[in-house]
Amino acid sequence: METVEEYLQSAEEYFFSSLSAATTDFITIHDAVNRLWLDISRYGPPIPALPALGDFQLPPPPPPPTPQLQPSLFEASAHCASKHPWIIGSLAVGILGTGLLAGYTTVRIRRRNHHRVKLQSNDRRQVVVVLGGDTPLALPLILDLEAKGFIVIASVSTPEAGSLLEQQSHGYVRALVLDPNEASLTPATISVFLRSLASTLSRRFPLSSSGDPFASPASHPYIQSVICLLTLPTPTPSIHAPLEHISLRNTYLPFLSATHITPLQVLQAMMPLLRTGPARARDKGKKSIIVCLPAIDARVGLPFASMQAMSAAGTLRGVEVLRREINLASLTDQTESMKNIKIVVADVGLLDVGIYSSVPPQDNIYKPMEDWSPSEKLAYGPAFASISHTARPVPSRWDAFKAIFKNKGLYGVPRTPTNTKVFVENIVSVVTGGRHNPYFFGLGRIIGQARNWLRGERFSIGAGATTYKFASYLPSSILDTLLNVPAFLISVRNCLLPAEPFVRPPADLPPPAQPTNAAALDIDDENHDQSEANSEADVESNASDGVSSSWVSVQEN
């Protein structure tokens, strides 16, 4: 059996080796079939389509996406315009027409207003009374009110100032003499002013017109607004002093009469004139009383400015009470005349006219101190000089920085005054109710009315006015600490110096006043003199102990 198996195996190996040797030059069956298929597809008849596999057939893969370029804005606009020509054309025509209509309307309104003012220039009836027409802020305000179509009646202190004011106007400004300092001495001064005012209201304007100088009763002008500038005191060295030194009878009462009593007396006399008037006057807006107060004195009140602060505080409280009385009376008034009156307070800060400051100039530090007693000079002199320091203006901030190293004394940055035009625009906006300027396609009137409504019945004008407004809301302890910072810094500097600085008074300073005899003093000043005598005795006792001089010289050269 083993021999048979070996024979079969050798025969099988021989067969396969003979077959593989005989078929080495033959192609494979796979290649033959493939070549036959290619020849039939190329040279043979068309082969019918084979039936699909149905659900088992796989879809061909999708072609790769072609890269798309982002069209530019111009191409996108052109494409949109070509796709929607009617819509784009309508929008273009609408925008162009609206712009032309708005421009034409604005030009037409301006021409119509100019034509109406020109035609009615001889028929002005609204009168604005300006108390204090010879103050620095009054002239630009009066000229702007006249340009807006108002008749202005201003009070001046002297006839010469009235003539000068009328010469600068165009015939619609009338100046009447009212000296607030003389009104306290002569009560008839206010009566004369009121009679002159009543006579002026019957005049025909402009004053240079020919013919009958008096107008018919049907065309009499009426008072539309009263602006009080007398409550803005001009700074004089005599009113800057400690409250201990101020003579309430000889110094404060005349100042109070000029800045508080006289303006309120005139406002009292104006109230009946504001309640009466023609019925069509209500279409011109509410009548107004505008009282301008110094922002520093009305809001805070600085040391050594007690006279201004007391006068401003009294005037402010009186005006606020008057406003509340008018608002209360308007609820029960059947004639509705009280509803047409508005009381406004304007806190005036630093303007470019350079007035209304409660701090005396540094060059006049010794002028108010001439009449001080030696004890007052020792007690209040250093503090008075510390707050009287004013920062000198410098060309730029870089020059101020370099001056620190050059020891030129240019320390601090001075406050930049506000332009007077801002003051004039705010006051005129209150007088007209915000309807005096049709700018921005006629929306200026709406904007002006909204601004008057938002700022209410008291607002601030000028540099520093808003600062003192927010400072008045601080607690008294914090506010007093902030006001004492300059004096504290100067005291620290004096402590660090080897010798206390001595400030020489100017050479042309007159000698100090000699003490008066006791017989020449009033009975009301007896207590004041007694306290001064005690203070002088204290000074003499201190001088004997070794204090021979102070940084303020009280000896006569």
Side-chain angles (χ1 to χ4, degrees):
M1 290 296 295
E2 294 179 0
T3 305
V4 174
E5 289 180 0
E6 292 177 358
Y7 176 77
L8 292 177
Q9 185 177 0
S10 61
E12 183 178 359
E13 291 177 359
Y14 178 76
F15 175 77
F16 279 107
S17 61
S18 301
L19 181 63
S20 59
T23 58
T24 53
D25 297 334
F26 293 163
I27 60 175
T28 61
I29 299 175
H30 182 272
D31 294 338
V33 173
N34 189 15
R35 183 179 298 177
L36 178 63
W37 177 260
L38 292 176
D39 294 340
I40 294 174
S41 299
R42 180 180 301 177
Y43 304 107
I47 301 174
L50 298 176
L53 300 177
D55 297 336
F56 299 98
Q57 185 176 2
L58 297 177
T66 58
Q68 297 181 357
L69 298 177
Q70 187 69 21
S72 61
L73 180 62
F74 177 77
E75 294 176 352
S77 303
H79 177 70
C80 182
S82 60
K83 189 176 181 180
H84 309 283
W86 290 102
I87 298 177
I88 299 301
S90 302
L91 289 177
V93 172
I95 293 174
L96 181 61
T98 303
L100 294 176
L101 180 61
Y104 174 74
T105 304
T106 303
V107 175
R108 184 180 179 184
I109 290 175
R110 291 182 179 179
R111 290 182 178 178
R112 184 176 59 186
N113 292 338
H114 179 73
H115 184 66
R116 183 176 66 251
V117 171
K118 185 176 180 180
L119 291 178
Q120 297 180 355
S121 59
N122 297 328
D123 194 25
R124 300 188 186 187
R125 299 192 61 187
Q126 291 180 301
V127 176
V128 178
V129 179
V130 179
L131 301 178
D134 50 355
T135 57
L137 289 177
L139 181 59
L141 178 61
I142 291 173
L143 296 180
D144 191 80
L145 288 172
E146 184 186 20
K148 292 295 189 298
F150 292 96
I151 299 174
V152 182
I153 301 178
S155 68
V156 293
S157 301
T158 59
E160 292 77 10
S163 302
L164 182 61
L165 179 61
E166 292 181 356
Q167 291 175 2
Q168 299 179 7
S169 63
H170 297 83
Y172 294 95
V173 177
R174 179 68 172 175
L176 304 178
V177 178
L178 175 62
D179 189 0
N181 298 318
E182 185 182 355
S184 60
L185 303 176
T186 308
T189 305
I190 298 180
S191 301
V192 173
F193 171 76
L194 295 177
R195 288 196 297 268
S196 301
L197 177 63
S199 176
T200 305
L201 292 177
S202 61
R203 292 288 302 269
R204 186 162 62 93
F205 289 88
L207 298 176
S208 58
S209 60
S210 60
D212 190 2
F214 296 96
S216 60
S219 60
H220 278 179
Y222 58 90
I223 297 178
Q224 177 68 22
S225 180
V226 179
I227 303 174
C228 183
L229 301 179
L230 294 177
T231 51
L232 293 173
T234 56
T236 57
S238 60
I239 62 177
H240 294 285
L243 183 61
E244 175 186 346
H245 173 76
I246 293 176
S247 175
L248 298 181
R249 171 174 296 182
N250 299 328
T251 306
Y252 178 63
L253 282 183
F255 180 83
L256 182 67
S257 177
T259 60
H260 174 72
I261 298 177
T262 300
L264 290 183
Q265 285 181 336
V266 177
L267 293 181
Q268 284 179 335
M270 293 291 179
M271 287 300 300
L273 300 178
L274 291 174
R275 288 197 301 266
T276 59
R280 65 175 183 177
R282 300 178 182 177
D283 300 335
K284 303 294 183 180
K286 287 188 176 183
K287 300 179 179 180
S288 59
I289 297 178
I290 307 172
V291 180
C292 299
L293 295 174
I296 299 178
D297 302 324
R299 290 288 185 178
V300 177
L302 297 181
F304 306 105
S306 56
M307 293 175 55
Q308 302 95 306
M310 290 187 294
S311 175
T315 305
L316 175 62
R317 189 63 63 194
V319 172
E320 289 179 350
V321 171
L322 176 62
R323 182 180 67 245
R324 296 186 181 101
E325 291 175 351
I326 292 176
N327 294 337
L328 182 61
S330 62
L331 300 177
T332 57
D333 184 22
Q334 297 181 357
T335 61
E336 297 183 356
S337 60
M338 301 298 289
K339 295 181 180 179
N340 200 35
I341 301 177
K342 182 179 181 180
I343 308 295
V344 178
V345 177
D347 296 328
V348 182
L350 182 62
L351 301 173
D352 57 1
V353 292
I355 61 171
Y356 311 131
S357 174
S358 294
V359 179
Q362 192 175 7
D363 298 338
N364 298 329
I365 291 178
Y366 294 96
K367 189 68 175 178
M369 298 173 60
E370 292 179 359
D371 299 332
W372 292 15
S373 64
S375 62
E376 292 173 348
K377 293 179 181 180
L378 290 174
Y380 299 105
F384 182 77
S386 64
I387 70 168
S388 300
H389 174 76
T390 55
R392 290 180 290 174
V394 293
S396 63
R397 295 181 182 269
W398 174 246
D399 295 336
F401 178 75
K402 294 189 298 183
I404 298 176
F405 303 97
K406 294 182 180 179
N407 196 18
K408 291 185 178 180
L410 300 177
Y411 304 113
V413 178
R415 176 172 287 161
T416 303
T418 304
N419 196 339
T420 310
K421 294 181 180 180
V422 179
F423 170 81
V424 174
E425 291 176 358
N426 283 271
I427 299 300
V428 173
S429 177
V430 177
V431 174
T432 60
R435 298 186 297 268
H436 64 285
N437 198 351
Y439 61 90
F440 196 64
F441 305 119
L443 297 178
R445 298 184 176 182
I446 300 177
I447 296 174
Q449 293 177 4
R451 184 177 61 178
N452 288 346
W453 179 79
L454 290 175
R455 67 186 178 185
E457 297 169 337
R458 187 180 183 184
F459 57 93
S460 302
I461 313 172
T466 306
T467 302
Y468 286 100
K469 173 184 176 181
F470 290 108
S472 62
Y473 299 143
L474 297 175
S476 300
S477 58
I478 300 178
L479 181 59
D480 295 343
T481 303
L482 294 177
L483 293 178
N484 293 335
V485 167
F488 173 75
L489 296 178
I490 292 179
S491 64
V492 172
R493 182 202 64 179
N494 295 341
C495 294
L496 297 177
L497 292 177
E500 193 169 5
F502 184 87
V503 180
R504 291 185 177 273
D508 57 348
L509 183 68
Q514 299 295 333
T516 57
N517 298 327
L521 298 177
D522 295 337
I523 300 177
D524 295 336
D525 298 337
E526 182 178 355
N527 296 330
H528 180 71
D529 295 337
Q530 183 67 25
S531 62
E532 293 298 335
N534 296 335
S535 301
E536 293 176 3
D538 295 339
V539 174
E540 293 176 359
S541 63
N542 294 333
S544 62
D545 293 338
V547 181
S548 59
S549 64
S550 174
W551 74 280
V552 178
S553 177
V554 297
Q555 301 294 335
E556 183 178 357
N557 295 332

